[in-house]
Amino acid sequence: MSVEEQKTEQKLVFKSSSLQFQSANKKKCVWKGLKQIISSEKALPWPDNCVHYGSINAPPSFKPPEKFSDLSGLPAPYTDPQTRLRFANKDEYATIIELPMDITAGYLTLRGATSIVG
Amino acid sequence: MSELSNAEPRSYSRTFDKSRMRRRRSSVLSAGAKSPKREGLSALVVDNGAYSVKVGLSTAQSPTLVPNCIMKAKSERKRLFIGAQINECRDCSGLYFLLPCERGYITKWDVQKPVWDYVFSRNVHPVEDKPVVMTQPLFNFKSIQDCIDEIFFEEYEVPSMFRPNPTDLSKLKYQQDNKLSNNLPCIIVDSGFSFTHVIPYINGNKYLRAIRRLNVGGKLLTNHLKDLISYRQYNVMEETYVINQVKEDTCYISNNVLDELKLASTKNNPIVRNYVLPDFNNIRRGYIQDPNDVNQKEIEENCQILKLNNERFVVPEILFHPSDIGMKSAGLAEAVVDSIFRCPEHARRDLAKHVVLSGGNCKFPGFRDRMYAELRSYLPHDWEVGVYMPDDPVGYSWKGGSALLKVPNFKNLLVTKSEYEEFGSTITQQRFNSWMTDNSEPDSESSEPEISFSYLDNIKGRSIFGKNELGNNDSKFESNTNESDSLGSDSKTDSNDGTNQIPETTENDINTEHSTEQSSNGFNELMNSVDLFPFGTNTYL
């Protein structure tokens, strides 16, 4: 008797099979960008000497950066003090002084030399 | 006969004689028979790279490569090409890429999900109730792991899952192929699309303290080549797809850059190659022109030809000298040496002997030789240096998936669906992130404080063509949502303490002297920050 009763009453107490959640929050989900993730990760209380994303960067190079001409890519012993462009010989210099501002800026960007401390 | 290879009949014949023997044997047998039966023998291995997904059953010989991106073509505006569907596209000029990863970490889930849907559909490889082994980048963030858990256990309903780092698999593969002991130290260099990792393994575990990351990857190299060509010859800023092929076909790593530069500046030098660009009419993929082939001349008359000279080796050179494009970070060989010397002393010699290269960048001709030459010159003369490069560096870590299944307690590593439902994402994090890692404190003798380096962003407010790129959707290897950094600097920069301290005004100001005057306050603040300049600010000025 009691066994049969139990069998028939297989109702889940907390779960109603008819209930369905309304997908109310259908609005577009915005994912965090990497910068946000990194900064929130950084804010976590990491223990001392813990290794995580921010601490595994390769160290700065011990070798001085080599200097190459912006125009030709050849080793460049000279730098134009006005535009900060590097050049290998006087012919290149003759070209450089005629270049308009936006082109010189472009060359510098190409070399990654626009940083304020570079 | 096959008696030796097949253990079963032999043991049966013997068990007839000795009943005691039989009992023992049969118990061994039944245990042995179970192990091939368990799902361990075949699992779906997914090496989820930022550029391509390598997917396949662990029993297969080689993986299927699927581009991990969604592409839009100019010729068919209405259609999105997901993954390998790009092969159906006739005109691949001006392809626009939507990439799911930012600097190697998945952040654009609305891009990643369709790609996965495509990969796990009938077209490529359905999941089919097999355990899934999926790689994740080193130090994957918690929020990203939560998302992967959710997608795989709740959307795809995989029965069980495991997530190693791709380098773990490479390491297992290396030691399996060369029959090395598990405890032998080795260094895995994984040079991929977004970054390059140098990871030493000691006693079978990653030695976390000595892991180094270089923010140079294939994406940065392609973008740089694109810039160079655009500045010297044609404007190819929109043609990332084509230039990537140019890079793969022509670039190589030279052994002596200065000599090679001299050679390249002479007339009729052997370095120059004429690359025939595809017109997507007669030529579908570009190729290097063969000057002796007369038949091709007619077709090529109407094509655009790219003349490549020193670009061929200057671009990959960034891997070894990031300073060429203004990055402060050390080169790859220097990073390997740094990593070796951060490891405990007893392991260093072995590490130098077992340097394993993997990842797509290793396919540049000359990579291995250059690596060997540089390591040789940096390391003490009585150390043996060994650099190993597999035949297929791209698929190397995927192939390690089958080696993973042979790890004795592999079954215990898997997280099953029911375990996930019971414990949530804590169990996946516990199990996956502690596997093969060694987070031990350094020896007390070398108790110097650990220094970590973070670099300033290379502030690139404008592209080289002067247009402000903020939020500008062009077809660089970038992700779809607008980012404030431009020109692929997203892969060359890093988590930076400094960005907040740099005043906004300098962002678009290119005249450097001028801008420092303007923002002297912020500048001083910057220079006093110990975190940014561990060796003192003078070395940077």
Side-chain angles (χ1 to χ4, degrees), chain B residues 276-293:
Chain B
V276 182
L277 289 173
D279 59 358
F280 297 108
N281 201 0
N282 298 317
I283 306 168
R284 263 195 65 75
R285 194 194 156 125
Y287 57 90
I288 295 172
Q289 193 179 33
D290 181 4
N292 302 322
D293 194 345

Side-chain angles (χ1 to χ4, degrees), chain B residues 271-276 287-290 305-308:
Chain B
I271 297 168
V272 173
R273 293 279 184 282
N274 287 329
Y275 191 88
V276 182
Y287 57 90
I288 295 172
Q289 193 179 33
D290 181 4
I305 288 175
L306 208 59
K307 191 181 168 198
L308 295 156

Side-chain angles (χ1 to χ4, degrees), chain B residues 3-67:
Chain B
E3 207 193 16
L4 270 177
S5 60
N6 199 348
E8 230 169 294
R10 189 178 56 171
S11 58
Y12 269 128
S13 61
R14 280 196 193 160
T15 47
F16 272 113
D17 306 327
K18 295 176 182 174
S19 60
R20 208 183 272 172
M21 201 59 178
R22 181 177 60 192
R23 212 175 296 146
R24 209 199 272 161
R25 286 241 161 204
S26 63
S27 69
V28 171
L29 251 186
S30 65
K34 244 184 195 169
S35 60
K37 209 178 156 191
R38 73 177 193 208
E39 72 274 66
L41 261 193
S42 74
L44 190 66
V45 183
V46 188
D47 184 1
N48 195 53
Y51 180 63
S52 63
V53 184
K54 278 75 76 178
V55 61
L57 283 181
S58 55
T59 45
Q61 281 299 314
S62 54
T64 317
L65 257 73
V66 179

Side-chain angles (χ1 to χ4, degrees), chain B residues 225-356:
Chain B
L225 180 63
K226 205 165 63 178
D227 287 355
L228 278 185
I229 293 175
S230 302
Y231 227 73
R232 296 178 181 173
Q233 300 179 54
Y234 304 123
N235 184 351
V236 288
M237 294 308 282
E238 312 275 295
E239 305 291 343
T240 312
Y241 182 77
V242 176
I243 298 302
N244 196 39
Q245 291 177 343
V246 173
K247 182 191 80 175
E248 285 168 8
D249 291 350
T250 64
C251 283
Y252 69 97
I253 292 184
S254 79
N255 245 331
N256 190 337
V257 180
L258 292 180
D259 284 359
E260 210 112 335
L261 270 176
K262 252 183 220 158
L263 184 64
S265 61
T266 56
K267 267 190 180 168
N268 293 331
N269 65 68
I271 297 168
V272 173
R273 293 279 184 282
N274 287 329
Y275 191 88
V276 182
L277 289 173
D279 59 358
F280 297 108
N281 201 0
N282 298 317
I283 306 168
R284 263 195 65 75
R285 194 194 156 125
Y287 57 90
I288 295 172
Q289 193 179 33
D290 181 4
N292 302 322
D293 194 345
V294 192
N295 299 336
Q296 289 287 327
K297 281 267 158 66
E298 281 182 29
I299 307 175
E300 285 161 10
E301 261 174 20
N302 301 323
C303 286
Q304 286 183 305
I305 288 175
L306 208 59
K307 191 181 168 198
L308 295 156
N309 194 356
N310 61 25
E311 294 89 356
R312 289 186 62 207
F313 58 89
V314 163
V315 169
E317 184 62 22
I318 297 172
L319 275 168
F320 289 91
H321 284 124
S323 57
D324 287 357
I325 51 162
M327 292 173 76
K328 298 273 187 298
S329 152
L332 181 52
E334 250 182 297
V336 172
V337 172
D338 179 69
S339 169
I340 289 176
F341 281 101
R342 270 164 190 274
C343 289
E345 206 151 0
H346 62 87
R348 289 180 191 164
R349 275 167 182 263
D350 281 325
L351 287 172
K353 224 191 288 182
H354 299 280
V355 179
V356 184

Side-chain angles (χ1 to χ4, degrees), chain A residues 31 34 42 49 53 56-63 68 72-73 103 106-107 109-112 114 116-117, chain B residues 102 105 109 147 209 212-213 227 231 310 321 325-326 328 330 334 378 450 453 455 458-460 464 494 497:
Chain A
W31 301 100
L34 188 71
K42 215 168 212 163
N49 266 340
Y53 176 85
I56 59 166
N57 270 318
S61 180
F62 278 111
K63 293 187 284 189
F68 296 112
S72 61
I103 304 283
Y107 274 121
T109 320
L110 195 55
R111 199 178 73 205
T114 47
I116 50 165
V117 284
Chain B
E102 260 182 276
Y105 294 91
W109 297 95
C147 254
R209 265 157 223 302
R212 284 290 166 260
R213 177 190 53 226
D227 287 355
Y231 227 73
N310 61 25
H321 284 124
I325 51 162
K328 298 273 187 298
E334 250 182 297
Y378 277 123
E450 299 269 331
F453 303 93
Y455 300 108
N458 245 318
I459 302 159
K460 286 189 166 183
I464 57 172
D494 192 37
D497 295 330

Side-chain angles (χ1 to χ4, degrees), chain B residues 183-240:
Chain B
N183 294 333
L184 194 79
C186 66
I187 283 195
I188 310 285
V189 176
D190 186 0
S191 184
F193 181 63
S194 315
F195 40 43
T196 302
H197 274 120
V198 178
I199 304 176
Y201 285 83
I202 299 174
N203 296 329
N205 292 324
K206 289 186 278 285
Y207 189 70
L208 289 189
R209 265 157 223 302
I211 291 175
R212 284 290 166 260
R213 177 190 53 226
L214 211 67
N215 290 311
V216 181
K219 172 168 145 183
L220 182 138
L221 300 183
T222 301
N223 281 341
H224 188 67
L225 180 63
K226 205 165 63 178
D227 287 355
L228 278 185
I229 293 175
S230 302
Y231 227 73
R232 296 178 181 173
Q233 300 179 54
Y234 304 123
N235 184 351
V236 288
M237 294 308 282
E238 312 275 295
E239 305 291 343
T240 312

